Each structure stands twice: as C-alpha cells, then as structure tokens.
C-alpha cells in the first residue's frame, strides 16, 4: 500500500516518512535512512523527517550527525517537544550533561504531558548524580507511559543509589518481564540479591546471566560479575563487551582516540598519574596512601586525579600532600578530564578503579597518556584495548592464566597490593559492648555482604557446627533484610542464629582494633577479602582463605603466600573447614599462629612500603621505557 502510494506521490514526505518507519520496524536502517533523506530533499523543513532521521542516527550512535538534525528540526519548529527531548538525550550521550539539562528542562516545560521528555530529564539528572530528582522524573514518565522499560530500569538504578535495594530488584524484574534480554537489569538485580543475601534466588539469576553472556548481550556489569561463580574467560568476555560499548559511544561522539604516540616527556622524573574515585575514606586510599608518600621525592613524579568531591577527611588530606601534583576532576565531563590529563602530559596513567563504581573508562578510552595501566582496585581484566598493562603478582595471576587478560600482565616481585603501615592498632571496646560472648572462639568475616556467597556461608556454618560455643562476627549490612536473611538461613541449618554477631559500621581505627577480639578471619569465595584481608593481617588476625581460579579469588591467598603463611591457604572446602577447626580447638594453636603472623609482619616484606616503592618505581620505569 505504501509502495503504491509512493509510486503515485513520489514527493509525499508523509509517505516517505511512513516508509522509513516501516523499514525501521524491519531493522532495515539503510532503507529507512534513504527514505528520510529523500523526504528532506523534497522538503528540507519537514520536521518529522528531521526528527526521525536524527533518531535513526542516534540509535546508530552517530551522535554528532543526530544533533545536527535535531537542531535543524528545532530551528523550523522551536516548540516541537519530541525533538527537544531527543536532543537532550543526544547531548547526554555526547557527554554534555549541562547542555542536556537545559534542553530537557525546556522539553518538560513545553510538553508536561509528554512521557519521553520526562524520561530524558530523568536520565540527565541521573547522570548528574541527582538521584532523588531523577527518580521523581522517571516516575512522572511512567505515569504517562506505564511499562516503559527504559524508565523502569532508570528508576531501578535510582533506587539502588538511594539504598532501596528490594524495590530496585522488583523494578528490574518488571523490566525483564517486558524485555527478557535486558542484561543490565538482570545484572543489577543479581548483584543486589547478593547484597541482601537472598541466596535462594541466586541460582536462577546466575543461569540468566550465563544465558545472556552466551548471547553476548551487552550490559552485564563487570564488577558485579566478579561475584559470580564464573571462569576467568567469562570475566574477560563480560569486560570486553563493556569496553566495546564505551568505544562505540566515543566513536559516535567523534572523540575516540584509538592510539597515542609513545613518547617520554622532557622531564628528569617519570610523571605518573593515578586516577581514582576512591581518594577519600575508601579502601583504595587506605591501601595506596603510604606508597604515594614514599614515592614523593623519588624519580617518580606522581599526579593524583580525584574524580569525586572532597570528603574533607584525613585520608584525602594525606593524599593531597603526598602527591607531587593534585587535580580535582570531580564534575568534569570525560572529554574535559581527558583534556586536562593531556595538558599535564603524564608518561603513564594508572586506572585505580577499573570497572568498579565510579569507573572513568571513558577517560582512559580517549588515550590521554601513552602508557595506561590497570592496577589495584579492579581484580580482573579490563578487556579494553586502551589499557596496555595490568600490574599483578605471580600468585594472583599465575603464568598459565595470562591468556585470560587483555592486558600485558606485569608482575611485582612481591604482593601486588600495598598497604599503610603507619596505622596504629588500638585497644578495642570490651567484648560485651560489641555483642561478643565473654569466652568462645570468635570467627570474623568483615567483608561486604555481597561476598557472602552460598558456598562461603556453607563453609562457615560447617565450622560453627564443628566448634561449639563459637560465634561468627559479620559486618552489619546497610539493609536489615541482609541480617534477617542470614539469621533465617542459619536457623534453618539448625544453628542458633544468635551465634551470628553483627558489627555496626565503626570509625576505621575502632574497626581495626576490633580484630584484636577475632581469633580467625574466614574468607569468602569467589570474591576474596582484599583491603579487608590486609586490615586483618595488619591488626594481627590470621586469615584463612580458599584460593580459586580467578584474580578476585586469589588476593587473600597472595597476602598469605607473601607472608610465608601458605598453610592458611586451603585447597578445598573440606580443607578449609578442617583447618579452621584445628585452629579453634587449641588455644595454644591460636596463640602460636598469632605469634607467627606477628613475626611475618616484621620479616616478610609484605608491609615494607619502602621496599614496595622501590619495586614499583622500577616496574614503572620499565613500562615507560619498553617497546612501543
């Protein structure tokens, strides 16, 4: 019918626009684009053709071309709300959040009853970190267009950020009921189930993620996937898909720089930039601060790039004073970040976040430095062509496992993880104040709740069954549901749930001192304690772990290995339980183990930050001077 109409009226823009829409429904974008452009040849001011062509270009991530067409439509019809809202979404995709906000706010003023305008405003506000405002806008959009999966997922993301995890899961399930291939919703829901310890629901979520990964569906969060019982090859696949999405966005913006000349700056010192969202009261800062101080005045000139606002804390101040140069990038667009880094001219740029929360992959993808490195905070491969090297040690990444990493794996001669040896471990509050019994063995695991996998909890329960009178000391979760679920599962196992003791969040010095009451730290799999394991060992609490086949599952094992406490690395579930029971059964054994740990702390070099700084500087020099 439309073809016949076109034959009768070849210059009809409405017929051509309808033909374009029909071609798009058939996934024939080339034909659709031809029809829209033909309509514009007949009438360059045809607003529907301009808007529809722009939408096609946007979906193909040809953002600059899409912006031009949206602006042409608005020149013809300034009050055309669909083009205004779409322009906002396009500007957001181009990393121009402030410009996008102006257009989105105008769109909802001019079209308060138009759901896509509210959706665009919500997405812009979410990107700018205004989560409550974004949630209200997503809700307004859903009120006008119920069941829109993009609005539902956006609302789920806001609920996650606001700590409303049960609601976020529910919203993600609504998205998946409409769009079963929505990998981002599946990933978020699974990660939050782990946070809430909804263990009965995890198996189905894991199967769903595995199916989506087999289809190479984009959207699975690499950091969340580290908690899945998966192979290193699967982790690389997830990271590679995420990197591919970043590259596509940058190509669409016209800001992708695939390579950079590998030239040294004209300085005596090697300039090395460290980029992190964790330069505050954060595990990354706790690990790195003394190393940065030790590097000051060396042949390495350090530059700290903070991507989050100043939390006014002592660690932030130490870091500002420790780095030779300091740059606040918080609030900058990725393109502005990249420009500022290029202006500093670092020889090496180190990503201290990777795919974790606060990731700035789009900064690194623009290649602001000739040599770019993944280190410390993300225990896995970036899967990204813009990251050249990954710093590890031979325990966390054995030689045979190098093929699972997209980067060139380089090894430090010691554990890859530094620490702050200036911390003083004080005297903890009395046991009664912490809810601990006066006597009995105290097993501790102060990992985040998403690491309390069913496999880990099963080992913990077996240990409680084997050691009468013992308790398991855990961190209190952000949500009461987490603790309720753990108690319920413990009771179902036939164990008194009162044997679970929860430690509320404490100031770091108090938290560190609490390890003096713990007899043994029980580690988790497949995601180990990292900074937490270092904390425990520094405070004198031995760590029992079960190294696995992925980077994230071998970090605590590396710490033990480099301490000379390899007997604290179990080789099986049964071995883990038996070793814990052996330690618990004898007060003399526990005391002897603590004494061994105290000696190892002094003699092994694990906490020798002077030596670490020398090794690290030598490694960086090698990377800078290596082949292009």
């Amino acid at each position: 019918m439309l073809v016949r109409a076109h034959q009768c009226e070849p210059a009809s823009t409405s017929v051509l626009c309808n033909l374009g829409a029909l071609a798009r429904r058939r996934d024939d974008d080339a034909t659709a684009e031809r029809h829209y452009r033909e309509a514009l040849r007949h009438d360059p001011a045809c607003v529907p053709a301009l808007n529809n062509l722009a939408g096609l270009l946007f979906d193909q991530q040809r953002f600059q071309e899409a912006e031009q067409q949206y602006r042409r439509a608005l020149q013809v019809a300034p009050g055309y709300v669909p083009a205004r809202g779409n322009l906002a979404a396009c500007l957001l995709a181009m990393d121009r959040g402030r410009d996008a906000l102006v257009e989105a706010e105008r769109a909802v003023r001019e079209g308060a009853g138009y759901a896509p305008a509210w959706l665009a405003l919500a997405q812009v506000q979410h990107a700018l970190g205004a989560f409550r405002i974004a949630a209200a806008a997503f809700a307004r959009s859903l009120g006008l267009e119920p069941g829109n999966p993009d609005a539902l997922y956006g609302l789920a993301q806001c609920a996650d950020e606001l700590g409303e995890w049960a609601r976020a899961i529910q919203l993600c399930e609504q998205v998946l009921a409409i769009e079963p291939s929505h990998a981002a919703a599946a990933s978020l829901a699974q990660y939050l189930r782990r946070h809430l310890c909804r263990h009965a629901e995890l198996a189905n979520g894991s199967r769903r993620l595995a199916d989506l990964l087999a289809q190479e569906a984009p959207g699975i969060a690499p950091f969340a996937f580290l908690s899945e019982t998966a192979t290193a090859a699967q982790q690389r696949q997830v990271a590679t898909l995420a990197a591919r999405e970043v590259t596509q966005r940058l190509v669409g913006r016209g800001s992708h720089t695939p390579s950079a000349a590998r030239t040294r700056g004209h300085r005596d010192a090697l300039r090395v930039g460290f980029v992190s969202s964790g330069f505050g009261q954060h595990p990354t800062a706790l690990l790195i601060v003394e190393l940065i101080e030790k590097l000051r005045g060396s042949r390495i000139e350090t530059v700290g790039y903070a991507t989050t606002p100043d939390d006014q804390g002592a660690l932030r101040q130490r870091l500002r004073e420790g780095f030779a140069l300091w740059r606040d990038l918080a609030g900058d667009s990725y393109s502005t970040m990249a420009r500022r880094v290029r202006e500093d001219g670092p020889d090496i740029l180190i990503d201290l976040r990777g795919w974790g929360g606060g990731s700035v992959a789009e900064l690194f993808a623009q290649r602001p430095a000739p040599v770019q490195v993944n280190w410390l905070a993300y225990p896995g491969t970036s899967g990204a062509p813009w990251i050249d090297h990954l710093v590890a040690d031979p325990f966390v990444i054995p030689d045979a496992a190098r093929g699972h990493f997209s980067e060139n794996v380089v090894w430090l001669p010691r554990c890859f993880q530094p620490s702050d040896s200036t911390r003083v471990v004080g005297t903890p509050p009395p046991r009664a104040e912490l809810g601990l019994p006066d006597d009995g063995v105290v097993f501790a695991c102060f990992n985040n709740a998403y690491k309390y996998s069913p496999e880990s909890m099963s080992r913990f329960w077996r240990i409680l069954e084997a050691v009468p009178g013992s308790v398991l000391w855990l961190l209190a979760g952000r949500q009461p549901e987490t603790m309720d679920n753990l108690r319920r599962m413990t009771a179902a196992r036939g164990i008194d749930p009162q044997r679970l003791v929860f430690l509320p969040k404490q100031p770091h010095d108090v938290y560190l001192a609490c390890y003096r009451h713990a007899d043994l730290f029980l580690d988790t799999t497949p995601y180990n304690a990292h900074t937490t394991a270092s904390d425990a060992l520094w405070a004198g609490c031995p760590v029992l772990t079960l190294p696995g086949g992925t980077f994230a599952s071998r970090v605590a094992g590396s710490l033990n290995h480099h301490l000379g406490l390899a007997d604290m690395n179990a080789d099986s579930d049964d071995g883990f339980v038996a070793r814990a029971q052996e330690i618990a059964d004898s007060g003399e054994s526990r005391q002897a183990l603590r004494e061994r740990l105290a000696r190892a702390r002094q003699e092994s070099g694990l906490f020798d930050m002077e030596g670490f700084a020398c090794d690290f500087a030598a490694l960086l020099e090698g990377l800078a001077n290596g082949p292009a």
Side-chain angles (χ1 to χ4, degrees):
M1 183 71 73
L2 282 173
V3 173
R4 189 176 304 160
H6 180 47
Q7 291 171 344
C8 295
E9 296 184 72
S12 170
T13 56
S14 62
V15 170
L16 287 165
C17 284
N18 285 330
L19 282 170
L22 179 62
R24 291 219 68 190
R25 284 196 292 272
R26 293 172 174 169
D27 293 325
D28 185 357
D29 282 359
T31 299
E33 183 173 350
R34 188 173 67 250
H35 286 313
Y36 293 143
R37 291 194 184 278
E38 185 179 350
L40 290 170
R41 280 197 300 273
H42 292 297
D43 180 7
C46 179
V47 172
L50 289 166
N51 188 58
N52 291 344
L53 174 59
L56 182 152
L57 296 169
F58 177 85
D59 289 344
Q60 292 181 343
Q61 298 190 321
R62 295 156 65 184
F63 300 130
Q64 290 179 318
E65 296 175 71
E67 181 191 3
Q68 292 172 0
Q69 301 303 326
Y70 285 133
R71 291 198 183 279
R72 285 179 61 191
L74 290 167
Q75 285 174 352
V76 176
Y80 189 59
V81 175
R84 184 76 61 189
N86 290 338
L87 175 60
C90 185
L91 292 170
L92 180 62
M94 295 174 73
D95 194 27
R96 291 161 58 187
R98 297 299 172 186
D99 294 338
L101 181 60
V102 171
E103 299 296 342
E105 289 179 335
R106 182 171 175 181
V108 298
R109 285 198 305 270
E110 296 174 351
Y114 186 60
W118 286 102
L119 177 59
L121 177 62
Q123 290 171 333
V124 172
Q125 294 285 19
H126 179 271
L128 295 175
F131 302 120
R132 291 196 183 279
I133 297 173
F138 280 124
R140 186 76 175 266
S141 177
L142 285 166
L144 295 165
E145 187 184 353
N148 182 304
D150 291 335
L152 285 167
Y153 179 63
L155 194 55
Q157 289 179 297
C158 291
D160 171 28
E161 295 287 355
L162 296 170
E164 300 168 2
W165 293 340
R167 182 169 181 245
I169 294 171
Q170 184 181 46
L171 288 162
C172 285
E173 290 297 342
Q174 291 181 48
V175 173
L176 291 163
I178 299 165
E179 194 175 319
S181 63
H182 200 300
S187 179
L188 178 58
Q190 181 75 343
Y191 187 50
L192 293 179
R193 289 188 200 102
R194 290 191 180 278
H195 271 286
L196 293 174
C197 292
R198 294 186 179 182
H199 287 181
E201 302 172 12
L202 292 179
N204 286 337
S206 294
R207 281 192 292 271
R208 176 184 272 162
L209 288 177
D211 290 343
L212 289 168
L213 183 57
Q215 300 165 30
E216 294 209 332
I220 299 175
F223 181 80
F225 194 73
L226 295 178
S227 299
E228 292 295 309
T229 302
T231 65
Q234 288 173 312
Q235 290 179 356
R236 177 172 180 171
Q237 185 183 4
V238 168
T240 300
L241 289 169
R244 188 179 302 165
E245 286 190 276
V246 171
T247 298
Q248 289 170 347
R249 284 197 297 273
L250 290 178
V251 169
R253 294 176 195 158
S255 58
H256 180 54
T257 306
S259 62
R262 293 174 178 270
T263 57
R264 285 285 301 271
H266 300 291
R267 295 177 296 270
D268 292 333
L270 183 73
R271 180 170 288 180
V272 180
F274 297 77
V275 184
S276 181
S277 61
F279 287 160
Q281 191 59 45
H282 186 276
T284 298
L286 290 165
L287 291 177
I288 202 173
V289 63
E290 188 183 2
L291 170 63
I292 298 302
E293 291 167 343
K294 296 294 186 186
L295 289 172
R296 193 172 182 93
S298 72
R299 62 185 184 272
I300 305 296
E301 181 187 45
T302 59
V303 189
Y305 293 102
T307 63
T308 47
D310 190 348
D311 65 359
Q312 304 296 316
L315 267 176
R316 178 81 163 207
Q317 185 59 35
R318 274 185 71 186
L319 285 165
R320 286 183 68 101
E321 295 172 356
F323 281 107
L325 299 172
W326 179 264
R327 303 286 186 259
D328 281 304
L329 303 183
D332 287 351
S333 67
Y334 294 120
S335 56
T336 300
M337 288 183 185
R339 175 182 57 76
R340 293 181 64 188
V341 172
R342 284 194 190 100
E343 289 171 353
D344 287 333
D347 303 300
I348 297 174
L349 194 65
I350 298 177
D351 188 353
L352 289 175
R353 199 68 204 124
W355 293 115
S359 171
V360 288
E362 291 191 28
L363 161 63
F364 283 85
Q366 294 176 72
R367 261 301 175 183
V371 178
Q372 300 191 153
V373 177
N374 170 15
W375 177 53
L376 189 62
Y378 182 74
T381 184
S382 66
W386 56 81
I387 297 293
D388 307 301
H389 307 285
L390 185 153
V391 177
D393 65 60
F395 189 95
V396 289
I397 303 180
D399 188 56
R402 284 184 171 190
H404 297 306
F405 295 81
S406 62
E407 306 90 343
N408 172 46
V409 177
V410 291
W411 288 333
L412 282 165
R414 59 182 70 224
C415 180
F416 81 102
Q417 182 176 284
S419 187
D420 179 13
S421 66
T422 69
R423 292 173 294 167
V424 176
V425 182
T427 302
R431 289 168 70 108
E433 287 186 18
L434 297 167
L436 297 171
D438 292 335
D439 51 25
V441 174
V442 176
F443 297 108
C445 183
F446 292 155
N447 285 346
N448 284 311
Y450 68 84
K451 297 184 181 182
Y452 298 156
S453 64
E455 307 95 311
S456 300
M457 290 306 303
S458 178
R459 290 193 294 271
F460 296 172
W461 288 321
R462 288 176 62 189
I463 291 166
L464 290 178
E465 289 168 339
V467 184
S470 63
V471 297
L472 178 59
W473 202 10
L474 305 171
L475 280 186
R478 287 176 58 186
Q479 304 285 337
E481 182 186 339
T482 302
M483 294 174 282
D484 291 343
N485 285 338
L486 288 169
R487 290 189 185 102
R488 178 182 51 76
M489 290 186 289
T490 299
R493 186 72 179 237
I495 300 169
D496 183 354
Q498 296 303 311
R499 292 176 69 187
L500 300 186
V501 180
F502 292 95
L503 176 69
K505 187 174 178 60
Q506 303 289 330
H508 187 72
D509 58 337
V510 177
Y511 148 79
L512 205 61
C514 284
Y515 282 109
R516 293 192 180 278
H517 287 317
D519 293 292
L520 182 64
F521 186 101
L522 302 178
D523 195 20
T524 51
T525 55
Y527 201 139
N528 282 180
H530 292 184
T531 308
T532 310
S534 180
D535 289 340
L537 293 167
W538 178 249
C541 178
V543 173
L544 178 63
T545 189
L546 176 58
T550 63
F551 188 157
S553 69
R554 299 182 64 81
V555 173
S558 176
L559 293 167
N560 279 340
H561 171 78
H562 287 92
L563 274 171
L565 297 178
D567 58 314
M568 298 302 291
N569 292 344
D571 60 3
S572 66
D573 287 340
D574 289 346
F576 186 98
V577 173
R579 185 72 173 111
Q581 184 177 1
E582 175 190 350
I583 293 167
D585 281 348
S586 167
E588 292 181 359
S589 294
R590 295 196 297 276
Q591 182 59 34
L593 181 57
R594 279 190 173 270
E595 290 172 358
R596 281 180 61 204
L597 172 56
R599 288 193 300 272
R601 263 186 32 171
Q602 299 299 318
E603 299 170 3
S604 68
L606 179 66
F607 294 104
D608 171 18
M609 289 305 103
E610 193 77 49
F612 193 108
C614 290
D615 291 342
F616 195 67
L619 181 143
L620 294 175
E621 287 280 3
L623 296 184
N625 295 324

